[in-house]
Amino acid sequence: MSATQRKPFEHLPTSVIPSNYNLHLHPNLQNHTFSGKETIDVEVKESVNTVKMNSAEIEVQSASFTVGDATVSSSDIKTSAEDETLTITFPEALPLGLGKLNLDFTGILNDKLRGFYRSSYTAGDGSKKNIAVTQFESTDARRAFPCWDEPAIKATFDVTLVSPVATVALSNMPVIKEDVQGDIKVTTYDRTPIMSTYLVAFVVGEFDYVESRDRNGVLIRVYTPVGKKAQGEFALDVAVKTLPFYNDYFEIPYPLPKMDLIAIPDFAAGAMENWGLVTYRETALLVDPQNTSSSTKQWVALVVGHELAHQWFGNLVTMQWWTHLWLNEGFASWIEYLCVDHCFPSWNIWLQYVNMDFSRALELDALDNSHPIEVPVGHPEEVDEIFDAISYCKGNSVIRMLHNWLGAEPFRKGLAIYLKRHQYKNALTEDLWAALEESSGKPVNRVMSTWTGQVGYPMLTVEVEETSDSVTLNIKQQKFCANGDDSSEQQWLVPVTVVTQSCNTPQCYLLEGKEGQIVLQGARPGDWVKVNPEQIGLFRVKYSEELLKRLLPAVKNQALSAADRLGIQQDLFALAKAGYSSTASLLTMMGSYGNERNYVVLSNINANLSNLAGLFNHLPCYEQFKAMRRRIFSKILEEVGWGKKESDGHTDALLRSMLIGTLGKSGDTQVIDQCKSLFKSHLEGGAQIEADIRGSVYATVRANGGDKEYQELLKLFSETDLHE
């Protein structure tokens, strides 16, 4: 076998299966080691004399098996580093039925940010604080204790942690007993619900916390590094609103008595949804009341919403195998926006979604090297290889499209059916589709399989036929490719929605073949027609020249919603870039955005101009191009102003930052001078730069300064305690 070939993956035998782990761990924060012992309640289903389970980087000192009062010691203990397995052999076959497997073992608190690992931070007084923390998804619980480390092999857990008295020791469940023995304490936690091993968690270290209870009495705490508990207040407020929202939405109460959220200094992922103890990178949880920008607050709210959604969708009901992980993450990445929209309706978060996840899905999935959302996973290591932004962004985009096609209430009812039917168990993607078909009466599985099982998405070419009393759209689908290739014969079942100038009520239609027709109810000849209102369907729209011409005044006078103005410009740019339509059509349409003041629409226009800048920056016309950007955005900055106003909304702060950064890059001398002035005052201890524009000011000063400015920025970076 060559070094590049992977040994075929084999699931663990089902001859012996666990039902409960009684786990006792003692991490040493100074030596970066831990010792442990566990008693696992198992059922022997077949007559075997071996027990095979997962274990990695753990040394097992002893193993025995107990039935009633009789205990037999193992005759052999073998580990396989390649397979990450532990095989325990006994002198004779184990008796069928219930028994207890007893293990003593030691391990290392590694520096790999996986399994049971070590971390540290420097407190405000300069002291170093060591931490022991876990990250088990997808297959690293085996680095903390020998176990059946597959998501479908669920069990309950009784955890005990031994730690220094001065530390906080946390696990999934509340503390039921704490015994202080000199300078150490032994903390015992309540039994968990039945759950997968990758959701178990422990944290030991020194932390501060803030706490509150939600309206249902669930205790919620946000743990922060010592001295930073004020930075946990925002996330606490979000969590207190979020848990009851999901209780109502899923029709199932949050099943644990507490919810902890904790900021970890060294953390590989953005966050991890361990049941009852969610771990976060500091940048995804902490908000400085004075110095954190609006964009970071928005990110924190989305991540909190995402991880708490997993407490139901992923933890209560877990995928059968990693093949179905896309559904866990795609769903949570969609509902995080629904949650944030509930908590902060003024943020207009769904419009930003179109410019973030939805746009990213369309961009990435048009590439030749894309992949389907759902890819069969054999070896668990393949999860990290295939699970990427396509899985997240396209995954949540098809969920959003499905939600719209079924209707909000049938979709929610279907979710409730799915969660109640499979709670504390494992499920497949098809199980969710079956529940949604039950609630909606629509062919969910037939439609969704065309979106999850194949690469890419369609481009809909739309033309109009009109008589004196009817308007008919002729629609044709083909795969959209970033390189303009039109040879693919792929087809999708496409939920298509249309609004018109005379009828703003969406008309829905399922395109089931390569071509189709929609007779538009209530439309009049000459009306503008907007296909895919609010940009919910995962496809591009290529209008005929006539239909495109009709949309020009609707964009200019803003008769169309911001999402539709965004979508038209977004699709046209992608079509022109791929060669499906002319650049002239794009530029003509962009001329209609002179009155645009919406942050998200302007941000997308700016992003597209930045894309073009890469083509022009070595050409003589580049200075003219920069002058054009200055003309577009300088007037808007004059209106918005440099300082925060009482009348500002959430997106006004985002717009101000974007304008300053763009004009700084485009050589606007007034903006550059103002940025330098603000920076100088900031350094000299005068007026401090507002959090929302700080990044743009720093970037402008660096781009238009010299070594002196660079060194000053480097000094700021090295001295700041703010993670942003």
Side-chain angles (χ1 to χ4, degrees):
M1 181 182 292
S2 71
T4 58
Q5 288 180 310
R6 178 182 287 148
K7 184 178 178 181
F9 174 73
E10 295 181 0
H11 287 279
L12 291 171
T14 56
S15 50
V16 179
I17 59 170
S19 60
N20 173 264
Y21 295 80
N22 193 314
L23 184 60
H24 188 283
L25 289 172
H26 185 177
N28 187 315
L29 300 181
Q30 304 307 317
N31 296 335
H32 309 310
T33 61
F34 65 89
S35 59
K37 58 184 179 180
E38 62 182 334
T39 298
I40 310 171
D41 291 336
V42 299
E43 181 179 0
V44 181
K45 290 179 166 286
E46 299 174 19
S47 181
V48 293
N49 71 329
T50 60
V51 177
K52 190 174 184 179
M53 54 205 299
N54 294 115
S55 181
E57 299 177 348
I58 286 178
E59 186 175 325
V60 178
Q61 280 79 41
S62 66
S64 62
F65 192 83
T66 301
V67 177
D69 296 329
T71 297
V72 58
S73 295
S74 63
S75 57
D76 191 30
I77 301 173
K78 287 184 178 179
T79 58
S80 169
E82 181 183 6
D83 296 336
E84 298 185 341
T85 56
L86 168 70
T87 302
I88 305 168
T89 303
F90 292 91
E92 56 188 37
L94 301 175
L96 296 178
L98 303 180
K100 295 180 182 293
L101 180 65
N102 313 295
L103 302 175
D104 291 287
F105 54 91
T106 55
I108 58 170
L109 296 174
N110 67 68
D111 58 358
K112 301 175 183 177
L113 306 184
R114 59 195 293 210
F116 204 6
Y117 71 91
R118 62 182 184 264
S119 179
S120 65
Y121 69 89
T122 302
D125 60 3
S127 60
K128 183 180 178 181
K129 305 294 185 182
N130 292 323
I131 300 170
V133 61
T134 56
Q135 169 57 37
F136 290 163
E137 190 179 22
S138 53
T139 56
D140 288 312
R142 65 192 66 179
R143 298 180 191 278
F145 57 98
C147 58
W148 282 259
D149 203 10
E150 296 184 10
I153 308 179
K154 291 190 169 187
T156 57
F157 296 82
D158 294 304
V159 176
T160 298
L161 295 176
V162 181
S163 63
V165 169
T167 60
V168 172
L170 302 172
S171 190
N172 303 82
M173 297 297 287
V175 175
I176 56 173
K177 182 183 178 184
E178 187 172 275
D179 182 18
V180 176
Q181 301 172 4
D183 58 353
I184 66 169
K185 62 180 178 180
V186 180
T187 309
T188 304
Y189 305 88
D190 205 352
R191 176 170 290 186
T192 71
I194 185 169
M195 59 191 282
S196 301
T197 50
Y198 80 90
L199 296 169
V200 177
F202 333 114
V203 180
V204 176
E206 292 184 45
F207 297 93
D208 285 341
Y209 67 86
V210 290
E211 70 176 19
S212 185
R213 291 186 183 271
D214 73 3
R215 71 166 192 242
N216 299 308
V218 176
L219 178 64
I220 303 172
R221 287 179 174 174
V222 175
Y223 287 85
T224 74
V226 172
K228 293 186 177 181
K229 70 178 184 179
Q231 295 183 26
E233 291 285 1
F234 177 76
L236 179 65
D237 178 61
V238 175
V240 166
K241 295 175 181 175
T242 295
L243 276 186
F245 171 75
Y246 287 144
N247 279 351
D248 296 341
Y249 191 84
F250 295 130
E251 298 182 3
I252 298 175
Y254 173 66
L256 274 61
K258 63 96 172 175
M259 167 55 65
D260 293 333
L261 300 81
I262 185 166
I264 304 300
D266 300 303
F267 199 71
M272 176 60 207
E273 66 268 18
N274 315 299
W275 214 353
L277 176 55
V278 182
T279 45
Y280 293 81
R281 188 181 294 186
E282 287 190 1
T283 54
L285 188 69
L286 303 184
V287 170
D288 187 308
Q290 303 302 321
N291 294 301
T292 295
S293 65
S294 298
S295 59
T296 297
K297 287 179 67 176
Q298 179 174 295
W299 169 242
V300 168
L302 286 168
V303 178
V304 171
H306 181 105
E307 303 307 327
L308 297 193
H310 276 312
Q311 306 303 302
W312 288 262
F313 208 98
N315 298 6
L316 183 65
V317 178
T318 311
M319 71 266 149
Q320 184 73 20
W321 186 242
W322 302 108
T323 296
H324 306 279
L325 180 61
W326 83 267
L327 186 60
N328 274 15
E329 298 301 340
F331 177 82
S333 298
W334 167 78
I335 204 170
E336 70 185 52
Y337 284 89
L338 192 71
C339 170
V340 169
D341 188 53
H342 166 78
C343 295
F344 305 100
S346 65
W347 286 8
N348 206 359
I349 197 68
W350 279 118
L351 180 58
Q352 295 187 66
Y353 169 90
V354 174
N355 203 31
M356 294 190 294
D357 290 39
F358 181 79
S359 177
R360 186 76 169 141
L362 292 170
E363 178 185 351
L364 292 174
D365 203 31
L367 302 175
D368 285 344
N369 63 349
S370 183
H371 60 79
I373 298 173
E374 185 166 292
V375 178
V377 174
H379 198 286
E381 288 182 7
E382 295 172 13
V383 173
D384 294 332
E385 295 173 8
I386 62 94
F387 205 74
D388 53 20
I390 293 170
S391 305
Y392 273 92
C393 297
K394 186 179 179 182
N396 68 45
S397 295
V398 299
I399 293 293
R400 177 171 173 256
M401 180 172 64
L402 177 62
H403 173 267
N404 185 71
W405 178 52
L406 300 184
E409 192 56 20
F411 182 87
R412 191 189 66 78
K413 287 291 185 185
L415 282 178
I417 292 170
Y418 167 80
L419 291 171
K420 290 172 183 175
R421 183 173 292 162
H422 301 284
Q423 59 185 323
Y424 303 108
K425 300 175 186 174
N426 297 80
L428 308 174
T429 300
E430 291 75 16
D431 293 322
L432 177 60
W433 298 162
L436 291 170
E437 285 188 354
E438 189 176 327
S439 65
S440 68
K442 292 184 176 181
V444 176
N445 188 53
R446 188 165 68 92
V447 170
M448 291 304 292
S449 62
T450 69
W451 293 93
T452 62
Q454 59 181 337
V455 176
Y457 58 87
M459 173 179 68
L460 303 188
T461 300
V462 183
E463 298 182 343
V464 65
E465 289 183 11
E466 296 176 336
T467 66
S468 59
D469 59 356
S470 70
V471 178
T472 302
L473 292 186
N474 295 317
I475 299 179
K476 182 185 296 185
Q477 68 162 295
Q478 70 179 87
K479 183 183 179 184
F480 178 86
C481 296
N483 63 7
D485 181 20
D486 59 1
S487 61
S488 174
E489 294 298 320
Q490 284 179 246
Q491 292 183 31
W492 290 260
L493 297 180
V494 188
V496 181
T497 308
V498 184
V499 294
T500 67
Q501 186 172 352
S502 299
C503 183
N504 203 36
T505 302
Q507 298 178 51
C508 300
Y509 170 79
L510 185 64
L511 179 64
E512 299 190 58
K514 191 169 183 64
E515 300 181 24
Q517 284 191 328
I518 306 177
V519 178
L520 298 178
Q521 304 300 317
R524 298 173 183 172
D527 275 359
W528 55 255
V529 174
K530 177 63 176 68
V531 178
N532 200 19
E534 303 304 309
Q535 298 303 105
I536 290 174
L538 190 68
F539 50 82
R540 300 284 190 195
V541 180
K542 180 185 176 185
Y543 294 99
S544 66
E545 287 299 321
E546 172 59 28
L547 288 174
L548 204 55
K549 182 180 177 182
R550 294 181 190 180
L551 286 167
L552 292 172
V555 170
K556 187 172 184 177
N557 62 28
Q558 300 190 355
L560 291 166
S561 70
D564 287 336
R565 301 196 303 274
L566 168 64
I568 289 169
Q569 192 269 145
Q570 202 174 61
D571 280 353
L572 267 176
F573 184 84
L575 292 168
K577 187 178 177 183
Y580 290 112
S581 67
S582 69
T583 304
S585 295
L586 169 65
L587 294 175
T588 299
M589 179 58 73
M590 288 186 72
S592 300
Y593 288 82
N595 298 324
E596 189 60 64
R597 293 297 182 269
N598 182 277
Y599 158 69
V600 181
V601 181
L602 287 170
S603 177
N604 187 253
I605 292 172
N606 184 48
N608 290 336
L609 290 173
S610 295
N611 201 314
L612 291 174
L615 302 175
F616 296 146
N617 62 0
H618 296 299
L619 300 176
C621 65
Y622 186 51
E623 290 303 318
Q624 293 172 284
F625 178 80
K626 291 199 294 184
M628 179 194 72
R629 292 182 83 175
R630 293 197 296 269
R631 286 194 300 273
I632 293 172
F633 294 115
S634 60
K635 181 181 176 183
I636 304 173
L637 180 58
E638 288 178 15
E639 296 173 9
V640 173
W642 283 75
K644 188 182 296 185
K645 304 172 184 174
E646 286 188 15
S647 60
D648 277 358
H650 175 70
T651 55
D652 291 314
L654 302 178
L655 175 60
R656 184 176 292 113
S657 177
M658 185 269 287
L659 291 170
I660 292 170
T662 297
L663 289 167
K665 291 176 186 175
S666 301
D668 188 304
T669 55
Q670 288 185 322
V671 168
I672 293 169
D673 289 345
Q674 178 68 0
C675 285
K676 288 182 176 180
S677 175
L678 289 172
F679 184 65
K680 184 173 183 291
S681 174
H682 187 83
L683 288 179
E684 293 174 351
Q688 299 297 287
I689 303 171
E690 290 181 3
D692 286 316
I693 66 171
R694 187 184 299 121
S696 295
V697 171
Y698 286 172
T700 300
V701 169
R702 176 65 193 99
N704 296 277
D707 185 65
K708 176 176 176 289
E709 287 79 11
Y710 174 74
Q711 294 300 329
E712 288 169 338
L713 284 166
L714 201 60
K715 187 171 183 287
L716 276 176
F717 174 76
S718 63
E719 292 178 351
T720 185
D721 188 38
L722 184 65
H723 58 264
E724 186 174 347

